[in-house]
């Protein structure tokens, strides 16, 4: 699992490859994985100390890497609007992962221990 910042518009989830220090001579492992197999899953979970409130959603679908174009630019705008930390970064030239949501699955976890 890799924690990421994301935004969703219509039936697509976007993740930018931001400016955090990374090796520039080799693409990130997540990008190499997408190039090898574009089918992906993305999980978001909600944690609460009250375990009756735990939940998650899994999105599955084909992915692609957007390097430029109108959709790329709109994705970067969505991400910048959602995450103020991105305002200080120059995202315009950086790629975006686009997951085309083909399937959704949700769940809630409720674990309880009964005392005897």
């Amino acid at each position: 699992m890799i924690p990421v910042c994301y935004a969703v518009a219509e039936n697509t989830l976007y993740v930018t490859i931001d400016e955090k220090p990374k090796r520039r001579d080799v693409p990130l492992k997540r990008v190499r994985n997408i190039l090898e197999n574009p089918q992906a899953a993305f999980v978001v979970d909600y944690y609460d100390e009250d375990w009756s409130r735990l939940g998650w959603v899994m999105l599955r679908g084909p992915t692609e890497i957007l390097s430029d174009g109108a959709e790329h630019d709109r994705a970067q705008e969505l991400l910048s609007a959602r995450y103020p930390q991105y305002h200080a970064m120059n995202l315009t030239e950086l790629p975006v992962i686009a997951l085309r949501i083909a399937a959704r699955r949700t769940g809630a976890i409720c674990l309880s221990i009964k005392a005897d």
Side-chain angles (χ1 to χ4, degrees), residues 2-113:
I2 301 168
V4 296
C5 297
Y6 66 94
V8 178
E10 299 176 18
N11 287 323
T12 303
L13 178 135
Y14 298 105
V15 176
T16 191
I17 307 300
D18 59 34
E19 292 181 330
K20 291 183 209 125
K22 298 173 180 85
R23 288 181 58 180
R24 298 285 181 183
D25 58 329
V26 176
L28 291 173
K29 179 67 173 163
R30 69 188 100 155
V31 173
R32 293 192 316 259
N33 288 345
I34 289 168
L35 294 173
E36 288 177 22
N37 179 3
Q39 293 300 316
F42 184 87
V43 177
V44 176
D45 66 351
Y46 176 80
Y47 179 80
D48 193 290
E49 290 296 325
D50 175 356
W51 284 11
S52 68
R53 297 179 60 181
L54 301 178
W56 56 272
V57 62
M58 179 187 298
L59 307 174
R60 292 179 180 257
T63 58
E64 61 182 296
I65 307 296
L66 307 175
S67 298
D68 56 21
E71 184 181 11
H72 168 274
D73 297 346
R74 178 68 183 132
Q76 295 292 31
E77 290 171 9
L78 289 168
L79 288 155
S80 290
R82 183 167 178 167
Y83 299 99
Q85 301 88 332
Y86 283 160
H87 297 177
M89 296 181 187
N90 182 11
L91 301 178
T92 56
E93 302 297 318
L94 300 173
V96 173
I97 298 169
L99 184 148
R100 310 299 181 190
I101 302 167
R104 290 185 172 112
R105 189 165 177 205
T106 60
I109 303 168
C110 180
L111 304 174
S112 63
I113 301 171

